[in-house]
Every structure is written in structure tokens, then in C-alpha cells.
Amino acid sequence: MLYDYKSIEKKWQQRWDDAHAFEAKQDFTLPKYYSLVEFPYPSGQGLHVGHPRPYTALDIVSRKKRMQGYNVLFPMGWDAFGLPTENYAIKNKIHPRIVTERNVARFKSQLKALGLSFDWSREINTTDPDYYKWTQWIFIQLFKEGLAYKKEMAVNFCTSCKVVLANEEVVNGVCERCGSAVIRKVKSQWMLKITEYADRLISGLSGLDFIERVKTQQINWIGKSKGAEIDFKTTAGDSLRVYTTRCDTLFGATYMVIAPEHEYVAKWKELLTNYDEIEAYKALAAKKSDFERTELVKEKTGVELKGVRAINPANGKEIPIFISDYVLAGYGTGAIMAVPAHDERDWEFAKKFGLPIIEVVAGGNVEEAAFTDVETGKLCNSGFLDGLEVEDAKAKMIEFLEQNGIGNERVNFKLRDWVFSRQRYWGEPIPLVECEKCGWVAIPEEQLPLTLPEVDSYEPTENGESPLSLMTDWVNCSCPRCGGRAKRETDTMPQWAGSSWYFLRYCDPHNTEALASPEALKYWMPVDWYNGGMEHTTLHLLYSRFWSKFLYDIKTLPCDEPYAKRTSHGMILGENGEKMSKSRGNVVNPDDIVNDYGADTMRLYEMFIGDFEQAAPWNPQSIKGCKRFLERFMNLLDMAKGEGTTPELEKHINKLIKKVTSDIDSMKFNTAIAAMMAMINTVYEVGKITRDELKTLATVLSPFAPHVAEEVYETLGGKGLVSLAKWPEYDESKCGDDVCEMPVQINGKVRGVVTVDKNASKDDILGLAKADAKIAAALADKTVVKEIVVPGKIINIVVK
RNA sequence: GCGGGCGUGGCGGAACUGGCAGACGCGCCAGACUUAGGAUCUGGUGGUUACCCCGUGCAGGUUCGAUUCCUGUCGCCCGCACCA
């Protein structure tokens, strides 16, 4: 039978559409399964071969769940706001909406060609005003709850995109998107208080089925640390507060360091005798980009603040104060006590500036290197702490600090608040106005969505303001509260806004009264299985967990964690093992593969290529193996005769169903396919198969290669769609063998194989083994020391 | 530096809680059918090969038995990066 994949695929895709086969049912009494893949950014390049890997994987999961009787929600949509579209629009003078529409159309037809069982009736688009109405609504709730605030602050600013970036968007000191230098710029920005959720974002992970590397990466990013804050009195008559995780080493603090941006530099101006020098250092630090700052890690720099000294509260000694950019303004209090004997950075700095190093934890040689071990050392030179171990000394010191009112226990996080405004056009307008009398006021919810106005130019202004700032008619408005003169916020939201809640909209995408109905959210949420890229672990995944927790707190969402399970796929690399990119010239176009081999072959190959979680290089040669398999599968139609079972195949088929069922659940798609290939090989060896059996095989194949499966199923007279057929059951009693082959080892080396009954006793097995001619010969002149029999596994005879 | 992961044939990769290393596929070799084959089918395919033997980055260890567990070491990938 000719495998005419083009007509087969067209035919079945049409039939699925006509039957609305993959639309989630509105019946909330059915058992539900919500499987989700990250919705793509519809770029101008079209689909990449990397996209179908996670999509096909979760399509397989969804298809199987559907066949197992679940009401499955497997939706798709478009995360369509963003810079590339805007940049394209600027360059080609086309409205970003038109560009987006075009890209979406292309993506959609490409995804449809792959036979993915998305519920297209729930398609969403973040740039649709009916969608971003609710993105804006959530922002207003955050604003009302005090979690959105505007702050004048030093932000990351991309010199090329002319836009503010979140910490998460700065990679190695350069812009994640364009690779240009990122500098610090003081701007007034909308911020979201994600830090208020830092603790819950860590603790919430414990009950979730996330792959371990996602959990640890999020925990590290949030960076919880326990320590203490301590006040140091100064000769200026005030006190300087520091944060430390090693309050036990307070007696060893021989100097202090504050960040260049620390407010005390200005406060102490009159007292400082070398203010010019300090100012110069400050200016230099400000000019450095993040990249330069990290480049200069090796060499510590700094300037002493001459004229003010601090007093160590533990021993009353006067110590100097420095400014240095190795202390960060944004973490802790922006000031530290330096304990060179027990901190590597302080040690380096002390060596360079000739500062005293006092050992307060015995166990190392502090003249050679900082001794940072907290397990073995004992306190010394520390008055009332002497002789204690580090942990005990910490507790005692905190007690001391609190009793004397000079400090307290304190928890800090690395996580920063989320910089939420962008000086760009193609994003959700921030639905706030600034009234001359009332300050910032949210626009009334019934006026949402606040739509993007039409502008003449999408380019940011030279001074880095949003293009919307030039639209004076739009900007000038009246205050919703007092009716007075007001101006609209002209910044837009970052791309991450729309994707922070999109999985909720899928539950009820056409709702005009709420982001989704409470009933729909209660039924569908949380997402049962969410797969996406590792690159989103500290961005989208964290942000969307934050928003979910917030929506839970304001009683909009019934669960406080949005995803029950999170997995991540490996990248598809180019033929040469490198990341696919235009510049490397190793990009594979999925359209070509679908055209030359068919969607089913493409799907199979993407799943067969290797471990789902591991990166794998594309190999154009290997694809044909998958196509051959499908051809061989279809050719079984010529062989299939009669009904019932074939004795030689019965066990194999039962085992296959068992393996494929469990392999899909544990995302071992590659071995599931290998097992199906082996099954077909067995059928060809045996030379016969019944029509019933082939129908079963088609059913098992259908999540992987749905078009071929439908075709075979229909030809065999199967009723309805195999995509909606019942997933086959297997008979456990028919999965095992009555007899098994057991290898016989002598001193751990295989010397023969015996066939034994499944229920044979150890003695019987051993008897059989020894009766084997080869084994008997090998044992002839040896003394048996030990005999090991593991039924079903192995026989090992140890001899001398 | 810290955190996570990975080293298995010519290639992608299999191997359940330690139990016949190399499933499945690609490639390659031989044969069949063919005017032809980059189509299809059959057989073979870790090294050396009659056997023995050697083989999961390297060196040790635990064990009757180690790709799997432990120690050390080398190499690669990813994430974070002066977070006090």
C-alpha cells in the first residue's frame, strides 16, 4: 500500500476539524486533564524545528489522556507583544498588528500541519484588546493592593534597544535580546513587589512535581539567606547599619565598607577630608556597565572615607570605613562589616589596603587565606563567644545584639522587585493616570481595555521615553477621581505580563465579565502538566507563580500554585552539534521536513531523536528510519487477516501496551517508539497478524503518528476516530513469560544460558544450570565456593 | 568560585530499585529483486577474532557480580556570579 502522507494528513486534519475532535468539553463532572506547552512568540522566521519537540510530546500525553477518558484541555495561543515585531515594524514601516497577524497565520498553519491536537476554539493572543483588558485588570489589582509602585531608581538600560530591562533580562552584563551593553540609568519605573512573595515562592515548591533543576534554580535565584543586622556607631554621631550572615565574627570586623551609592556619602560630606577622591570613585563606579563591573572581579578597588570612623560594638575599637563597588547598593543595607579573616572578599581587600586581619574562628591560617569553614572552627579572640562552635556563637551573638538594642536577626533575599515598565509601543498600556492633585490613579475597570493608540512612529524617543509620550491627545486626560487635569502613563508593560496568566484565560477564553469564571478556574486549575524551556525558569515561570499567588490572595484563583508538574525539553541542535542559528547556517526548516517526509515522520523523529530532557543534534539521515517504520506499519494491512488473537503475538502486544502506557507517563517517548518498531519487526518475523490486533497497534500508535493511525484504523473498519477510541488495556498476566532464559555465570563471567520455568525453585534452577554441558565442563576440575541464584535474573557460581 | 547535569560502538541513543552492555534507529558490509537504484527485501555489524580475551572518560574501592553505588581525577555543557 502506497504511503501517500500528503493526502492522508490533509484528510484527517480536515476530519478532526469537522468533528471538533479535540475541543475540551464543558462538562465539569468529567475527570479533567490540563496539559500545557508554552505559547510561542510568533516571530517572523516561522516555526523552528525546536518548537515541535515539546509540542509533540505534550500532544502525545494529551491524546493518550483523552483516549483514557479524561476531559483534556490542550490549548494554544500567541505571546505576541514584544520587541522583534516592533523592530520589524519600525524598519519596514508596517503596523506591528499587521506583522503580528501575518506571523500568527504562518505559525498556525505550520502547527496545524503537524496534526497537533490543540483546542483551537480557545486560541488566545496577548495583543488582543479583549485579552489584555484582563492583563490590565490584574495590574490594577496589584496597584490597588500596593504591590505596584513607582520608584526613581538605577535600572538596567540597553543602549541599543533604548529600553529598560529586568534583572532577569540581563545576561552576562549584556542585553539578553540584542547583546548590546547594558548601563545603569536612573529612571522612574513601575515596580512589582515580587519580593513580598519571596518566601512563598520558595516554600510553595516543596509540594510540586517540578524537575529538580527547576526547583534548585528558582531557589538559588530567590537566594534566601539568614543573618543579622547590626548597628555600628560612628564618630559622626550617627550609626551605620550592616547586614551579615556571620554575626559570630563581629569581634573580627576590622573595617567597614559601604556601596558607592550609599546615602551616607552625601550625609557625611562636610566631615570627609578627601571628598573629591570619594566623588571621583563614585563617578567611576556609576559609569561602569554591569559587564565591566563583573569583568573587574579579580582586583578590589575602593577609597577610605577619611574623617569618619566606626566603632565595633563588640570590642569598642575604632575602625575605618571605605567605599567600594564590591558592596552592592541593592542588597542588604548596602553596607557591610568586613571580617578579613573569615571572608574571601574582605581578605583580598584587607591585603590590598594593608588592613588588620584578626582571627576569631580558629582552625585555619588566616595569614594565608580566609578561613570560611563553619563546620569545624571554634571561636577565639571573641570574649564571651570564645570556645563556641559557629552555629552556637551566631545564636548567642543575636541574643547579645537584641538585648543591647544594637541589632536583630534578619532574613534577606537576592530576588529584587520586578521592573515592570518599558519605554516601548508594542505592549499593554499601563492603565494609570497621574493627576496633578490625586497623584497616580487607576482608570475605572469598566473603561478597560485601555487600547493602544495609533502612532506615527514606533521608535522610542531620543531621551528614552516611550513613543506614546508623543501622543499628546492621548496622554492628556482627566482624572477619574477628581476630574482635574491628568496625564496617562506612557510606558507599556514588559512582554512577560501577558504570559504571566495566559493559562487562566484558556480555561474560559471568551468570558467578558472576568478573566475566567470561578467555576472554570476551579475545574481546570492547576495545570496538570506544564512543559517549557529552562530559559524561563527565573523569568516567566517565576513571574507567573507570583501572579497566581497574588490572584489566589485576592480570591480570583482557587489555587495558589498554578502548575502541578513542570518538565523541560532538551534543545534540538544543528547537525554539527551546535545551537541552531542563522549565522551558523545550520538551521533546519520544519516545513521542508513535513513536505519531504510528512508530519507523522517529523513527529516520530522529534520524539525518537533521544532523551526528551537532553539536547540532541539533528541528523537528516536518521529521519528516514521513522518513515520506513510508518511504511512498514501501513503495509501490515496486506497481512492482517481474521479476528481474535495470534498466539505468537499475544504476549508481545500486551507488553507493548504496558510499556507505551508507562513510557508516555515518564516522558520516555524514544523508548516507546523503539518498542513499537520492535513490535513491527516481530510481526514481520511471525508473518501474521489479525485485524483486531493491528487495530490495537494503530490505537497505541495514534498519539505518536495520528494520521497514519487513523488511516489504518479506518481501513480495518474501525468505528469513528482512533484519536477518540478507548486506550487499550493490557493483561498483566499475559505480559510475563512462563519460561525465562537465565544467564549462568562462573566467577561473574557468562558461560551459558539455561531456560527455566518461571516458578522453578532455586535448587531446580541450579540443577539445570549445572546440567548444562558447557557449565559442567567449566566446573569439572574446580571447587565450588558459592552459588548465587536470583530467580528471573541470574545464576552465578563462584569457583576456585 | 558556587549550583545543576553529562561522558557508553562510526553516529543518535538503550539498559527497571546493581544481574547477559550496546535495545531501537542511522550508517556501513554482503546477498536478493532489478535496465538502474539514493527504492524495497534478507542476513551481518563494539574491538580482536577459531577460542580465549579486552571493552561504558581515567585511577582506585565496595560486591559473587558495577554503565549503575563510593572515593579521587580529567573533560564537556547549562545556570548564577563580589548577594556579605
Side-chain angles (χ1 to χ4, degrees), chain A residues 319-483:
Chain A
I319 55 175
I321 306 170
F322 289 77
I323 64 167
S324 171
D325 64 3
Y326 87 88
V327 172
L328 308 173
Y331 184 77
T333 61
I336 62 155
M337 64 178 208
V339 184
H342 305 291
D343 181 281
E344 281 170 29
R345 297 150 302 184
D346 298 345
W347 190 89
E348 257 179 65
F349 192 88
K351 278 285 174 194
K352 182 164 173 187
F353 287 85
L355 295 157
I357 297 171
I358 299 174
E359 179 179 62
V360 290
V361 181
N365 180 354
V366 299
E367 282 309 313
E368 291 294 313
F371 178 66
T372 56
D373 192 341
V374 294
E375 302 286 320
T376 60
K378 287 227 169 26
L379 273 286
C380 62
N381 299 325
S382 294
F384 65 95
L385 299 178
D386 280 353
L388 291 176
E389 294 190 1
V390 169
E391 280 313 308
D392 298 336
K394 279 184 186 174
K396 197 151 185 188
M397 178 54 83
I398 284 167
E399 207 177 288
F400 169 81
L401 294 171
E402 285 176 353
Q403 274 170 9
N404 292 284
I406 49 174
N408 49 269
E409 195 165 22
R410 166 86 196 193
V411 170
N412 262 330
F413 297 93
K414 285 192 210 174
L415 186 71
R416 292 300 124 82
D417 276 341
W418 176 8
V419 180
F420 199 70
S421 27
R422 298 299 126 96
Q423 294 69 46
R424 281 285 173 168
Y425 176 74
W426 196 228
E428 300 88 346
I430 291 177
L432 299 177
V433 302
E434 187 172 28
C435 170
E436 291 175 359
K437 291 199 195 90
C438 312
W440 287 103
V441 180
I443 70 171
E445 287 172 23
E446 58 273 15
Q447 286 177 24
L448 296 178
L450 173 61
T451 53
L452 267 172
E454 298 302 318
V455 295
D456 298 328
S457 159
Y458 312 110
E459 293 187 59
T461 64
E462 265 317 302
N463 58 11
E465 291 304 316
S466 158
L468 295 180
S469 65
L470 300 174
M471 305 299 295
T472 42
D473 287 353
W474 185 80
V475 172
N476 293 317
C477 61
S478 55
C479 171
R481 190 179 294 159
C482 72

Side-chain angles (χ1 to χ4, degrees), chain A residues 234-238 267-274 306-308:
Chain A
T234 72
T235 55
D238 53 10
K267 188 181 171 191
W268 290 338
K269 184 175 177 182
E270 300 307 322
L271 300 167
L272 298 172
T273 57
N274 61 337
K306 290 185 179 146
V308 181

Side-chain angles (χ1 to χ4, degrees), chain A residues 342-628:
Chain A
H342 305 291
D343 181 281
E344 281 170 29
R345 297 150 302 184
D346 298 345
W347 190 89
E348 257 179 65
F349 192 88
K351 278 285 174 194
K352 182 164 173 187
F353 287 85
L355 295 157
I357 297 171
I358 299 174
E359 179 179 62
V360 290
V361 181
N365 180 354
V366 299
E367 282 309 313
E368 291 294 313
F371 178 66
T372 56
D373 192 341
V374 294
E375 302 286 320
T376 60
K378 287 227 169 26
L379 273 286
C380 62
N381 299 325
S382 294
F384 65 95
L385 299 178
D386 280 353
L388 291 176
E389 294 190 1
V390 169
E391 280 313 308
D392 298 336
K394 279 184 186 174
K396 197 151 185 188
M397 178 54 83
I398 284 167
E399 207 177 288
F400 169 81
L401 294 171
E402 285 176 353
Q403 274 170 9
N404 292 284
I406 49 174
N408 49 269
E409 195 165 22
R410 166 86 196 193
V411 170
N412 262 330
F413 297 93
K414 285 192 210 174
L415 186 71
R416 292 300 124 82
D417 276 341
W418 176 8
V419 180
F420 199 70
S421 27
R422 298 299 126 96
Q423 294 69 46
R424 281 285 173 168
Y425 176 74
W426 196 228
E428 300 88 346
I430 291 177
L432 299 177
V433 302
E434 187 172 28
C435 170
E436 291 175 359
K437 291 199 195 90
C438 312
W440 287 103
V441 180
I443 70 171
E445 287 172 23
E446 58 273 15
Q447 286 177 24
L448 296 178
L450 173 61
T451 53
L452 267 172
E454 298 302 318
V455 295
D456 298 328
S457 159
Y458 312 110
E459 293 187 59
T461 64
E462 265 317 302
N463 58 11
E465 291 304 316
S466 158
L468 295 180
S469 65
L470 300 174
M471 305 299 295
T472 42
D473 287 353
W474 185 80
V475 172
N476 293 317
C477 61
S478 55
C479 171
R481 190 179 294 159
C482 72
R485 289 207 305 185
K487 282 182 190 294
R488 292 188 194 282
E489 171 60 60
T490 60
D491 284 357
T492 54
M493 300 188 199
Q495 186 175 9
W496 310 109
S499 60
S500 292
W501 71 281
Y502 76 111
F503 44 91
L504 303 177
R505 189 63 177 168
Y506 284 138
C507 298
D508 192 10
H510 309 297
N511 195 318
T512 53
E513 304 303 314
L515 54 82
S517 77
E519 297 75 30
L521 290 174
K522 188 166 191 318
Y523 176 68
W524 288 113
M525 291 298 290
V527 173
D528 292 282
W529 186 340
Y530 188 22
N531 184 85
M534 277 310 286
E535 70 275 19
H536 292 131
T537 303
T538 53
L539 293 158
H540 159 64
L541 201 65
L542 202 59
Y543 294 154
S544 57
R545 288 184 60 227
F546 161 44
W547 278 32
S548 295
K549 285 179 181 297
F550 169 70
L551 292 171
Y552 171 77
D553 288 351
I554 61 166
K555 309 218 168 357
T556 298
L557 181 60
C559 53
D560 101 315
E561 282 290 344
Y563 319 119
K565 171 174 179 166
R566 169 76 178 190
T567 57
S568 200
H569 53 276
M571 230 190 302
I572 302 249
L573 305 171
E575 230 181 301
N576 51 5
E578 291 173 15
K579 200 172 163 176
M580 271 193 200
S581 72
K582 253 192 206 159
S583 58
R584 290 191 180 91
N586 58 355
V587 174
V588 176
N589 182 347
D591 292 346
D592 296 342
I593 308 301
V594 172
N595 198 43
D596 297 347
Y597 297 90
D600 281 334
T601 298
M602 169 82 170
R603 293 169 58 109
L604 275 180
Y605 178 61
E606 292 243 358
M607 293 297 100
F608 188 60
I609 195 166
D611 185 317
F612 182 62
E613 294 196 77
Q614 226 69 48
W618 186 265
N619 182 344
Q621 295 276 15
S622 290
I623 302 166
K624 65 178 76 152
C626 292
K627 177 135 187 254
R628 273 182 205 150

Side-chain angles (χ1 to χ4, degrees), chain A residues 255-273:
Chain A
Y255 65 101
M256 300 185 80
V257 187
I258 65 175
E261 298 87 350
H262 200 282
E263 54 179 1
Y264 276 27
V265 176
K267 188 181 171 191
W268 290 338
K269 184 175 177 182
E270 300 307 322
L271 300 167
L272 298 172
T273 57

